[in-house]
Amino acid sequence: MADTKTILIAEDSSVILNLTKKILELQNYKIVTAKNGKEVINQVEKQKIDAILMDLNIPIKNGMECTREIRNHENKEISSVPIIAVTGNANNYTMEEFKEAGINAYLPKPLDFDMLVQTVKQYVS
């Protein structure tokens, strides 16, 4: 399949990362991963990413900082990539803050995998 979409999973927990990766690979997505904010930025600059699953609590730069940095990127293809926030403590943020940072959608942890697949499909068709 030439039109395989690439999803970047930014997540520092390898358990969640591997599980999420398996779920999305079953949907025929190509998965690239990042364990921290620095790797997120490196990955989006290195290849075409179709959507990012962004854990908000990743080290070095958190998900909100990464999202802002991506939204301010000079490359339009990078700055417009859909970003789906994933967090176990969304109560720390309001929907307004998500919107303001440029987050397209948000999934609470523990992840509901049906919801995950549905949300990713919504942004990556």
Side-chain angles (χ1 to χ4, degrees):
M1 271 184 4
D3 61 346
T4 304
K5 300 291 190 191
T6 302
I7 311 289
L8 169 59
I9 305 174
E11 170 62 72
D12 61 337
S13 151
S14 41
V15 174
I16 298 173
L17 186 61
N18 292 332
L19 207 57
T20 311
K21 189 173 174 214
K22 281 200 179 74
I23 303 284
L24 291 174
E25 282 174 343
L26 289 172
Q27 304 293 320
N28 295 319
Y29 292 115
K30 176 177 178 259
I31 304 301
V32 290
T33 62
K35 291 258 186 201
N36 62 53
K38 190 166 169 284
E39 291 177 15
V40 171
I41 304 301
N42 290 348
Q43 292 280 26
V44 292
E45 290 183 337
K46 190 166 75 182
Q47 66 214 311
K48 184 182 183 326
I49 302 285
D50 296 290
I52 302 172
L53 271 178
M54 182 81 78
D55 179 44
L56 294 183
N57 302 324
I58 47 175
I60 302 184
K61 279 184 191 140
N62 71 33
M64 292 296 260
E65 291 171 304
C66 285
T67 300
R68 288 195 182 93
E69 193 167 323
I70 290 165
R71 291 296 175 244
N72 292 325
H73 205 282
E74 63 220 348
N75 178 333
K76 276 283 164 274
E77 199 165 84
I78 292 174
S79 65
S80 62
V81 72
I83 297 177
I84 301 161
V86 177
T87 179
N89 52 3
N91 306 347
N92 296 359
Y93 300 103
T94 64
M95 284 318 282
E96 280 312 300
E97 286 173 293
F98 284 153
K99 280 200 184 73
E100 180 264 324
I103 286 169
N104 299 84
Y106 139 77
L107 295 167
K109 276 183 183 173
L111 273 176
D112 170 329
F113 290 111
D114 293 332
M115 192 69 192
L116 168 72
V117 168
Q118 197 182 323
T119 307
V120 170
K121 282 195 171 133
Q122 189 183 330
Y123 288 97
V124 183
S125 42

